[in-house]
Amino acid sequence: MERNNLYPIFLKTKNLKVLIVGGGFVAEEKLTFLLKSSPDANVTMVSPMFREGTKTLAKTGNVKIIQKKYSKRFLKGKHIVVATTDIPAINQKVYKHCRKRSILVNVADNPPFCDFYMGGIVTKGNVKVAISTNGKSPTTAKRLRQFFEEVIPENIDDLVKNLNEYRKTIKGNFEEKVEKLNEFTKSLVEKK
């Protein structure tokens, strides 16, 4: 049976420099989901043209728009790049330039040219759940996201905050604290 070998991480995009190459619908979609999850993301977009919706959305965040053709000089200082153009040769050029510079890259809808995937994300206060289908089915990730948005209670953040306060009161070493927290929260996952 095939398995998902991706390693999930949560990035502080405020501290990273993200480049989106492209200005069409897919670029706007990627920017929308990035800003929804990380409103303080540090983003630059480069493209000869941009949708009006993208320009409007860019004003809501820390997004710089450069209306020019892609050149490898735009990679300078970037940590993550998302290529979204409708010209495969440009996307592959972006991929090759990024690989030479050890920059993480995602070429939209082209899994062989991706170091990472942008999965479905559910956020409720301090709780964030990321969903991956290993690049095989974004639609499944979307449906799972919708499911978890309904199932995870709105007040989950209260639980997180209360457990954080309780954690501060526990005495002992790290292992003892983990054991006490596990015992205290066991009822949350027990089946009745």
Side-chain angles (χ1 to χ4, degrees):
M1 183 169 127
E2 188 178 359
R3 73 175 254 176
N4 187 330
N5 288 329
L6 299 173
Y7 184 74
I9 60 172
F10 291 91
L11 301 170
K12 295 179 179 180
T13 55
K14 180 181 181 179
N15 303 336
L16 302 172
K17 293 182 178 163
V18 179
L19 174 67
I20 298 175
V21 179
F25 178 76
V26 176
E28 186 173 315
E29 183 179 71
K30 298 295 184 186
L31 180 64
T32 299
F33 288 117
L34 179 60
L35 292 179
K36 180 181 177 192
S37 185
S38 301
D40 57 358
N42 186 351
V43 183
T44 300
M45 298 182 77
V46 63
S47 175
M49 74 77 170
F50 290 95
R51 293 169 49 90
E52 287 305 314
T54 304
K55 292 177 186 176
T56 302
L57 181 61
K59 292 175 186 171
T60 69
N62 184 20
V63 182
K64 180 180 179 182
I65 288 185
I66 301 172
Q67 200 155 343
K68 293 186 176 180
K69 287 185 177 182
Y70 166 77
S71 164
K72 63 185 173 188
R73 75 176 187 270
F74 293 115
L75 298 177
K76 186 174 179 160
K78 300 302 183 281
H79 300 101
I80 299 170
V81 175
V82 181
T84 67
T85 77
D86 57 1
I87 304 167
I90 292 175
N91 291 338
Q92 289 179 18
K93 185 189 295 187
V94 171
Y95 174 80
K96 288 175 184 170
H97 290 162
C98 288
R99 297 304 300 146
K100 281 184 180 176
R101 290 161 180 76
S102 298
I103 299 171
L104 293 176
V105 61
N106 170 290
V107 175
D109 297 322
N110 199 335
F113 293 93
C114 293
D115 294 323
F116 64 93
Y117 303 125
M118 300 168 94
I121 298 170
V122 178
T123 305
K124 302 264 178 132
N126 286 293
V127 175
K128 187 168 285 201
V129 178
I131 303 157
S132 167
T133 59
N134 211 15
K136 305 256 188 257
S137 178
T139 302
T140 301
K142 175 183 175 182
R143 295 298 175 220
L144 285 169
R145 177 185 53 78
Q146 291 169 335
F147 170 77
F148 284 114
E149 282 175 343
E150 287 183 28
V151 171
I152 297 172
E154 292 299 323
N155 66 347
I156 190 75
D157 207 37
D158 294 338
L159 174 66
V160 170
K161 289 174 183 173
N162 289 337
L163 283 173
N164 185 43
E165 290 303 313
Y166 173 65
R167 185 181 80 180
K168 293 175 187 176
T169 68
I170 300 173
K171 305 288 184 228
N173 64 29
F174 179 76
E175 197 172 301
E176 292 167 330
K177 289 180 179 184
V178 169
E179 191 175 313
K180 286 179 185 172
L181 278 170
N182 282 338
E183 186 62 34
F184 188 73
T185 59
K186 186 168 53 175
S187 65
L188 294 173
V189 293
E190 285 179 342
K191 294 183 180 175
K192 297 184 174 142

